[in-house]
Amino acid sequence: MFPFKNNIVLVRNSNRNLYLQLCDQIIGFIKSGKLPPSTKLPGSRKLAESLSVHRKTVISAYEELISQGWIETIPTKGTFVTSSLPIVNPKNFVQPVLQNNIKEKSGFSFLTRSHLIRKPKHKIDQKMLVVDDGCPDHRLAPIEEIAKVYRNITKKSHYENLLTYNSTYGNLELRKSLVTYLNQTRGLHITVDNILITRGSQMGIYLNSQLLLSAKNKVIVVGNTNYMTADNTFKEAGARIEQVPVDDQGLDTNAIEKLCKIKQINAVYTTSHHHHPTTVTLSAERRMHLLQLAQYYNFAIIEDDYDYDFHYNNAPILPLASNDDHGNVIYIGGFTKIIAPAIRIGYLIAPKDFVGEAARLRRIIDRQGDTLLEQTLAQMISTGDVQRHCNKVLKIYKTRRDLFCSLLKEKLGDYFDFEIPKGGMAIWVKLNKAYNWDVICNEAEKLDIELNPDWRRYDNDNSRHNGIRMGFASLNEEEIREVIERLVKVFELVKQKHNKLIT
Ligand SMILES: Cc1ncc(COP(=O)(O)O)c(C=O)c1O
């Protein structure tokens, strides 16, 4: 007789009814071959006694199992596992079947991409202060306004059609609002036909990579060093990546020209406004040069303007897309940085034929976006709410940038070298080469600071520049002071240990 008592675990305070828990476990035994077809099951009274449950629980479980076809009753003989079920190789009885048994290993093969594995973050708890690589402060997101507009939309009967399948290009109202918004704020000259709504900038990068680079021998030029996720996306498409230097003027366009002379270039990826990771702005001269090269050598410029709105010293520099007279620029942006990373709405702006192709490709990845949220945003752009929010956070982030930079210089200037970034949400900080980020990150963790544990991703090339991005925007002023204070302690500890080692 199968030892039910030892193998069945019933959790009384679970949300799942006891009789259903019993069913689940008996089905598990049948599926795993522990209870082969035609096995006799104990009578309901006996099983109820051995499991210390009411007899009705067992009866209900048996009824459920009969109705699902797992077991059958044979008059005058008893209850049995259904004889016609296929025979499964029996497994031994030792392991009790646990509720919520988490499956860890697949029973099939699939492709793995080890280059996409990211070093796990430290365990974050309340005490832990996280210095990210340049994220917005989601605590400032105008969530109540968003909720209010969203709720109003769902109340109006003429918005019901938003709940059904809609255009793959994205919500028309949002595309219309974006025409005005982007033409006014970015100096673009676009119509709705030039806009595809995406789920954030990353989807734009992905669509570009598939459309421009997935055929054989396609080449994309990126800066050294570059936004690693973009590099990974291009590699995933099968592209060959050519790197060119990045200096205080941004991408070296002379190096791009040299490459163009010796090989066919299909695209250049640029974060022209604030280069990721170093934060420098592509100079006006190089912008014009890059546009001329794109026109002459017929390549696409993927302009990832992920943090356009955050420029502190002067008005934002208009994107390359605003000077693109020959249809070479594909412009990517979105609201994940202005509002919050979870508001997954972005856009891809390009000539109409390319947008059409991108929309067709998007259809097979993600049929359409979140139409209700897109409608909400359309209204908030038209009423000026988005721009007002943007102006508000811009002021806050500027204050945070200034505080972070001045404290970093004052208290930790011996260890870090950096320029005050003109924009964005992060500082490109180079650690004095006498120190190692692994050691600093480990010591920082002991004092409850999460520094970028995945810092090597900024140095794909192993050039040992010792630089990482330190985000200032997501920390409030009190948190910034606390981070700097703790970092001062980290360096004191590291120095003490180091001195001990050499004395
Ligand atoms: C340079 C760059 N591009 C694109 C993205 C992705 O942005 P989104 O969250 O809008 O997909 C990021 C995110 O940090 C980024 O840093």
Side-chain angles (χ1 to χ4, degrees):
M1 169 67 76
F2 178 75
F4 286 93
K5 186 171 184 228
N6 300 338
N7 286 278
I8 286 181
V9 182
L10 298 176
V11 182
R12 281 176 198 277
N13 55 3
S14 157
N15 289 338
R16 193 144 172 89
N17 209 304
L18 277 187
Y19 87 92
L20 288 176
Q21 293 183 37
L22 185 53
C23 283
D24 294 343
Q25 293 181 46
I26 293 178
I27 293 170
F29 299 143
I30 297 173
K31 280 188 183 163
S32 64
K34 290 176 189 166
L35 286 177
S38 303
T39 306
K40 188 167 197 294
L41 298 179
S44 55
R45 191 184 312 273
K46 197 165 166 205
L47 186 56
E49 260 170 32
S50 71
L51 298 178
S52 308
V53 294
H54 199 281
R55 190 174 161 215
K56 274 191 187 155
T57 305
V58 180
I59 292 172
S60 303
Y62 279 6
E63 279 170 2
E64 181 64 29
L65 290 168
I66 289 168
S67 74
Q68 290 186 26
W70 294 104
I71 64 173
E72 58 194 355
T73 45
I74 300 179
T76 71
K77 292 201 170 146
T79 308
F80 297 83
V81 177
T82 305
S83 58
S84 56
L85 288 175
I87 295 176
V88 181
N89 282 343
K91 299 201 173 111
N92 64 25
F93 289 166
V94 190
Q95 287 278 320
V97 176
L98 290 177
Q99 281 262 309
N100 303 327
N101 190 8
I102 296 165
K103 292 197 173 116
E104 295 205 343
K105 266 264 164 271
S106 316
F108 47 83
S109 60
F110 54 91
L111 288 178
T112 54
R113 291 166 171 79
S114 54
H115 62 284
L116 295 186
I117 297 173
R118 300 276 282 259
K119 197 168 172 188
K121 293 190 168 219
H122 300 134
K123 224 171 133 215
I124 306 290
D125 58 30
Q126 290 282 312
K127 294 181 295 183
M128 195 69 123
L129 279 169
V130 180
V131 184
D132 56 40
D133 77 334
C135 293
D137 188 344
H138 58 268
R139 296 169 296 190
L140 301 174
I143 198 67
E144 269 158 31
E145 287 90 325
I146 293 174
K148 213 160 108 192
V149 179
Y150 192 102
R151 224 179 121 57
N152 275 338
I153 284 170
T154 56
K155 272 188 206 153
K156 297 197 174 134
S157 60
H158 68 277
Y159 287 132
E160 264 174 24
N161 59 5
L162 292 174
L163 290 176
T164 182
Y165 285 116
N166 268 289
S167 168
T168 314
Y169 286 77
N171 178 297
L172 186 59
E173 291 301 314
L174 179 58
R175 287 162 66 218
K176 283 184 190 160
S177 322
L178 279 177
V179 167
T180 318
Y181 178 73
L182 295 176
N183 285 348
Q184 277 173 1
T185 58
R186 269 95 165 145
L188 305 187
H189 315 282
I190 53 168
T191 69
V192 281
D193 291 334
N194 303 116
I195 304 183
L196 171 73
I197 306 296
T198 59
R199 297 244 190 210
S201 304
Q202 180 54 32
M203 183 184 259
I205 299 176
Y206 180 79
L207 292 172
N208 278 311
S209 73
Q210 293 299 314
L211 294 179
L212 298 168
L213 306 169
S214 64
K216 227 175 163 195
N217 298 328
K218 298 293 179 185
V219 176
I220 181 149
V221 177
V222 303
N224 181 7
T225 171
N226 188 38
Y227 176 45
M228 192 188 72
T229 305
D231 282 355
N232 284 340
T233 314
F234 303 140
K235 280 186 207 150
E236 179 67 29
R240 258 212 359 258
I241 295 188
E242 291 284 350
Q243 294 183 315
V244 293
V246 178
D247 58 22
D248 58 356
Q249 307 283 305
L251 284 184
D252 180 344
T253 49
N254 286 332
I256 298 177
E257 185 166 12
K258 272 192 202 144
L259 275 174
C260 289
K261 284 183 178 154
I262 52 170
K263 61 179 71 167
Q264 171 71 49
I265 298 300
N266 302 96
V268 170
Y269 169 80
T270 174
T271 39
S272 50
H273 205 201
H274 306 122
H275 181 78
H276 190 112
T278 65
T279 80
V280 295
T281 304
L282 188 64
S283 68
E285 196 185 325
R286 290 196 186 171
R287 281 165 186 258
M288 296 333 286
H289 190 198
L290 186 56
L291 283 168
Q292 281 162 5
L293 291 176
Q295 188 197 341
Y296 188 78
Y297 290 102
N298 297 314
F299 61 76
I301 298 172
I302 305 171
E303 185 174 28
D304 178 0
D305 214 357
Y306 63 110
D307 61 1
Y308 175 81
D309 300 274
F310 303 127
H311 203 73
Y312 306 112
N313 295 17
N314 43 342
I317 318 291
L318 291 183
L320 286 157
S322 67
N323 283 310
D324 174 34
D325 299 327
H326 296 90
N328 290 101
V329 180
I330 304 159
Y331 183 71
I332 295 171
F335 295 91
T336 54
K337 302 283 194 246
I338 302 176
I339 301 180
I343 303 293
R344 304 295 311 157
I345 296 184
Y347 41 79
L348 180 156
I349 311 291
K352 184 178 169 186
D353 55 352
F354 188 82
V355 167
E357 201 53 38
R360 287 186 278 282
L361 177 61
R362 186 239 162 92
R363 188 184 197 98
I364 62 168
I365 309 166
D366 178 26
R367 170 60 179 71
Q368 67 184 59
D370 181 337
T371 329
L372 286 171
L373 192 59
E374 288 175 12
Q375 179 80 21
T376 303
L377 203 63
Q379 288 201 12
M380 292 182 69
I381 291 172
S382 303
T383 54
D385 282 345
V386 169
Q387 196 55 54
R388 272 189 290 279
H389 173 70
C390 195
N391 297 344
K392 176 181 135 185
V393 290
L394 184 71
K395 271 194 205 134
I396 298 175
Y397 291 167
K398 182 177 186 305
T399 310
R400 291 179 182 181
R401 176 201 68 166
D402 293 345
L403 180 66
F404 201 116
C405 288
S406 71
L407 288 176
L408 202 60
K409 184 115 228 131
E410 182 193 324
K411 312 259 181 190
L412 293 155
D414 289 346
Y415 310 111
F416 294 126
D417 184 21
F418 66 94
E419 299 283 329
I420 299 175
K422 292 194 188 83
M425 288 173 282
I427 312 166
W428 176 241
V429 177
K430 286 191 174 170
L431 175 64
N432 181 324
K433 287 201 172 153
Y435 298 89
N436 173 302
W437 275 118
D438 275 336
V439 175
I440 303 300
C441 290
N442 280 339
E443 289 300 329
E445 192 197 354
K446 290 181 199 157
L447 294 184
D448 293 320
I449 298 199
E450 153 102 19
L451 289 174
N452 220 316
D454 202 12
W455 61 272
R456 278 198 181 80
R457 74 190 150 111
Y458 298 113
D459 193 12
N460 285 343
D461 235 28
N462 229 355
S463 58
R464 300 184 189 283
H465 48 59
N466 237 16
I468 67 167
R469 278 164 71 94
M470 279 190 178
F472 53 80
S474 60
L475 299 162
N476 64 30
E477 290 175 43
E478 196 189 327
E479 288 161 343
I480 289 173
R481 290 181 200 286
E482 187 59 34
V483 161
I484 301 289
E485 224 166 82
R486 289 193 209 173
L487 276 179
V488 168
K489 285 192 195 132
V490 166
F491 278 92
E492 276 165 9
L493 283 169
V494 170
K495 267 171 48 182
Q496 271 170 22
K497 279 190 189 165
H498 187 69
N499 286 342
K500 257 191 216 152
L501 284 178
I502 42 180
T503 47

